[in-house]
Amino acid sequence: MNLTTANDAPSISARHLCVSFNDVSILSDIDLDFFAGTTIAVLGANGSGKTTMIKAMLGLLPRHEGSVEIHGQSIEEFKDWHRIAYVPQKLINSATVPVSVFETVSSALVYPRKKISNKNKKLAVTSALTQVGLQDRAKDRLDELSDGQQRRVLLARALATKADIYVLDEPTAGVDSQNQEMLVTAVRGLVEKGACVIMITHELGIFEEDVDRVIVLSDGGVSFDGPVAKLPAQLENSHHSHPHSKLSHLMES
Amino acid sequence: MLAYEFMQRALIAAVIVGLVSPLIGVFLVQRRLALLGDGMGHVAIAGVGLAFLTGTEPVLTALIVSILGAFILELVRHKSKAAGDLALALIFYGGIAGGVLLTSLAGGKASTALNQYLFGSLSTVSTQDFVALGGAAIALLLVLMKFGTQIFAMSLDAETAKIQGIRVTAMSVLLTAMAAVTVVVGMRTVGLLLVSAIMIVPVAAAQQLTHSFKTTGLLASAIGVFSAIGGLTVSFYVDVPPGPTIVLIALGVFIILAVTTTSLHLRHRHEIQEQSPHRH
């Protein structure tokens, strides 16, 4: 992991980011910088474009306009993808061919430009599974685990990478309060080592004390960007779908 | 049976098919593309028909047409939003219709020869075929060794794989092309209409017992080899086509494993639930 500080260039930087689906503007003119050594929570109602924004920043969705830089490099030129770890919102559909917990976690350690030895893979996977309390389930089938346990496996998959940018989409969904504490400890450890942790979530919940910065999305833009202490109470738990959001309409249609 | 040279070739060809096909099939099942091999078999029929018409080598022509079909298939899958599997079906139907038509135009004994490619034939595996099949199988194994983990990561979670820098579109095309090559590897023994089955059925059988992707692939490969040897042996002594026999043996293995393991699976899951009352 690179030990960078908040004074360095942003880990991720977006300028004039615009995203459209079927010619309908979902996000417009987003300017954001995410720095190393910080925990950022992206809040917003369902359909406000939280996941869409992050996916556009990571190149998973096309940008209509704007630019994204990762570690100071244009995303088009960025090659060091092993420095980014991602926990998707959706669980893995493992109901086809059996996939073990170990295989799922170690799948994060496959890079076209970087070879990791089997020994190091095993060490990293075992350590990551221990961090999320699933070290005894490594050989089990992923689909035999509960949704909460599968969510922890996905977090372990990210932890195993030793990346310096972590994007966690709804990391606590379905995870009980006892294990949420474990996740908080894991995230805290990442930030202490200098990582930039971006969490997409409906509410701060158990992470409230650890979040350095909150970004709230609404109406296709950033409606709040600042520390938790200054977050208006009505925004903090605005987890219901915005009835008039463009993304909600698109999803419903 | 092994006193005959053609049977020695056929047996080795069958073992190659049984060994390699499930190793590709396990990725197709993981990606919910179990019928892709079936479609590629249909496209390969057009290649065989074209070979009859032009007088070229059927295995090589089918290989080229199948790989070309694989690229068109991936192009359609990525570019066509509305057509989806309908567009794929059109390509597949075009393959079999084109194959039969070209064979008919070729005249002579081409129609009879086509049957050998559709259902497999023991006596027609020539030394030239044998070398081509062996080379293709070795190439498949080498590609799997090089890109297998990337294809696995892509099959498991394409979005995360993309963030890892894996070229998911390229891996998807590569997998489809490998399925096309596997179809051609298997067409002389199992036949084009059933070659997809030897990619998929052993995987279905193996996953009744396994807990990981790797062991599923390896066990499926072992079941594939067992079915290929068993099917070929039965085919020789009973004088029936090898393709259906190999596939029916693989299906038999699947049924036996599915029936005998269902109760064990249920008991195992029950035990896990009892051991972990709080599963979060």
Side-chain angles (χ1 to χ4, degrees):
Chain A
M1 183 182 296
N2 283 7
L3 289 174
T4 50
T5 70
N7 295 324
D8 293 324
S11 299
I12 301 183
S13 176
R15 289 289 171 270
H16 311 299
L17 181 69
C18 300
V19 180
S20 303
F21 285 156
N22 299 328
D23 295 328
V24 178
S25 173
I26 304 302
L27 295 169
S28 60
D29 213 20
I30 302 279
D31 282 332
L32 285 172
D33 292 319
F34 298 138
F35 290 94
T38 58
T39 305
I40 303 117
V42 180
L43 299 179
N46 285 338
S48 61
K50 305 183 295 292
T51 299
T52 302
M53 180 184 79
I54 295 297
K55 283 188 175 180
M57 284 182 171
L58 295 175
L60 292 175
L61 285 176
R63 302 184 305 278
H64 184 239
E65 280 180 39
S67 61
V68 174
E69 288 188 354
I70 302 175
H71 290 306
Q73 265 191 311
S74 157
I75 192 170
E76 285 79 17
E77 294 168 8
F78 184 73
K79 304 284 185 203
D80 297 330
W81 290 103
H82 61 274
R83 297 178 68 180
I84 302 179
Y86 177 63
V87 176
Q89 188 178 15
K90 285 183 183 173
L91 296 174
I92 290 172
N93 185 349
S94 55
T96 49
V97 178
V99 176
S100 73
V101 169
F102 183 93
E103 287 175 326
T104 306
V105 177
S106 67
S107 72
L109 302 173
V110 177
Y111 308 106
R113 293 162 57 88
K114 188 181 176 188
K115 176 79 178 168
I116 299 174
S117 69
N118 287 338
K119 184 186 171 188
N120 285 340
K121 269 187 191 174
K122 193 173 181 182
L123 285 172
V125 171
T126 306
S127 167
L129 284 174
T130 304
Q131 276 184 274
V132 301
L134 289 172
Q135 64 275 20
D136 297 332
R137 307 300 300 268
K139 290 182 180 175
D140 289 344
R141 283 174 63 147
L142 183 65
D143 61 352
E144 287 178 347
L145 271 59
S146 69
D147 285 359
Q149 287 171 324
Q150 289 189 40
R151 182 77 55 195
R152 284 153 61 196
V153 171
L154 292 186
L155 188 71
R157 187 174 64 163
L159 294 173
T161 62
K162 307 286 187 291
D164 49 24
I165 298 174
Y166 291 80
V167 177
L168 318 176
D169 199 344
E170 302 288 357
T172 56
V175 180
D176 63 34
S177 56
Q178 187 185 348
N179 285 301
Q180 282 189 16
E181 290 279 1
M182 201 180 288
L183 300 189
V184 170
T185 305
V187 168
R188 203 174 285 159
L190 295 174
V191 176
E192 282 170 1
K193 289 177 184 171
C196 169
V197 178
I198 304 164
M199 283 190 294
I200 304 163
T201 180
H202 284 105
E203 52 193 9
L204 295 172
I206 197 162
F207 283 102
E208 184 163 346
E209 289 180 10
D210 290 83
V211 168
D212 300 298
R213 177 182 169 200
V214 177
I215 292 164
V216 181
L217 294 184
S218 63
D219 297 325
V222 176
S223 60
F224 177 84
D225 184 354
V228 179
K230 292 187 178 177
L231 180 67
Q234 68 270 25
L235 288 177
E236 188 174 351
N237 294 313
S238 58
H239 55 274
H240 298 296
S241 289
H242 192 300
H244 302 299
S245 80
K246 292 167 187 171
L247 200 55
S248 290
H249 282 305
L250 279 175
M251 290 165 76
E252 284 164 11
S253 65
Chain B
M1 153 176 116
L2 292 176
Y4 299 97
E5 193 183 337
F6 75 92
M7 277 307 294
Q8 292 171 5
R9 283 198 300 266
L11 186 68
I12 295 173
V15 168
I16 289 171
V17 173
L19 183 80
V20 173
S21 302
L23 293 178
I24 307 299
V26 71
F27 290 100
L28 297 180
V29 176
Q30 176 71 18
R31 295 200 71 204
R32 296 180 179 275
L33 292 172
L35 293 176
L36 182 74
D38 202 35
M40 295 317 301
H42 285 57
V43 174
I45 292 171
V48 173
L50 185 65
F52 288 151
L53 189 64
T54 58
T56 51
E57 175 57 42
V59 170
L60 189 64
T61 313
L63 188 66
I64 292 167
V65 170
S66 299
I67 291 175
L68 194 66
F71 280 106
I72 294 172
L73 203 65
E74 282 300 317
L75 196 69
V76 170
R77 276 161 48 81
H78 281 89
K79 298 290 179 188
S80 172
K81 289 179 184 172
D85 59 348
L86 179 64
L88 303 188
L90 294 176
I91 291 173
F92 298 161
Y93 297 147
I96 193 165
V100 173
L101 187 71
L102 290 169
T103 304
S104 178
L105 288 173
K109 293 180 179 177
S111 294
T112 311
L114 182 64
N115 272 339
Q116 297 169 356
Y117 290 90
L118 292 180
F119 301 106
S121 171
L122 297 181
S123 58
T124 56
V125 182
S126 66
T127 305
Q128 201 176 357
D129 289 342
F130 183 70
V131 171
L133 305 185
I138 289 169
L140 281 173
L141 291 175
L142 290 175
V143 172
L144 263 188
M145 285 169 68
K146 172 76 178 168
F147 295 106
T149 53
Q150 290 188 49
I151 297 173
F152 170 68
M154 179 268 297
S155 303
L156 193 64
D157 180 356
E159 278 193 342
T160 305
K162 196 172 179 182
I163 289 178
Q164 288 166 226
I166 294 170
R167 291 180 294 174
V168 294
T169 305
M171 289 303 120
S172 185
V173 171
L174 185 63
L175 179 60
T176 307
M178 285 200 289
V181 175
T182 308
V183 161
V184 178
V185 168
M187 75 179 191
R188 304 300 268 123
T189 45
V190 188
L192 288 171
L193 290 182
L194 287 170
V195 66
S196 178
I198 202 67
M199 280 198 257
I200 304 304
V201 178
V203 176
Q207 67 184 29
Q208 305 299 318
L209 297 175
T210 55
H211 281 73
S212 75
F213 189 85
K214 188 177 179 180
T215 50
T216 303
L218 293 175
L219 183 59
S221 197
I223 293 171
V225 170
F226 170 77
S227 305
I229 294 173
L232 208 64
T233 307
V234 172
S235 172
F236 176 78
Y237 287 110
V238 186
D239 194 21
V240 287
T245 321
I246 290 170
V247 171
L248 285 173
I249 287 179
L251 274 171
V253 174
F254 165 73
I255 291 167
I256 290 167
L257 291 179
V259 169
T260 53
T261 57
T262 297
S263 60
L264 291 173
H265 271 298
L266 288 173
R267 190 191 300 174
H268 178 63
R269 287 185 181 179
H270 183 67
E271 283 172 2
I272 286 177
Q273 282 171 350
E274 283 194 341
Q275 285 167 8
S276 309
H278 303 292
R279 303 189 67 205
H280 292 286

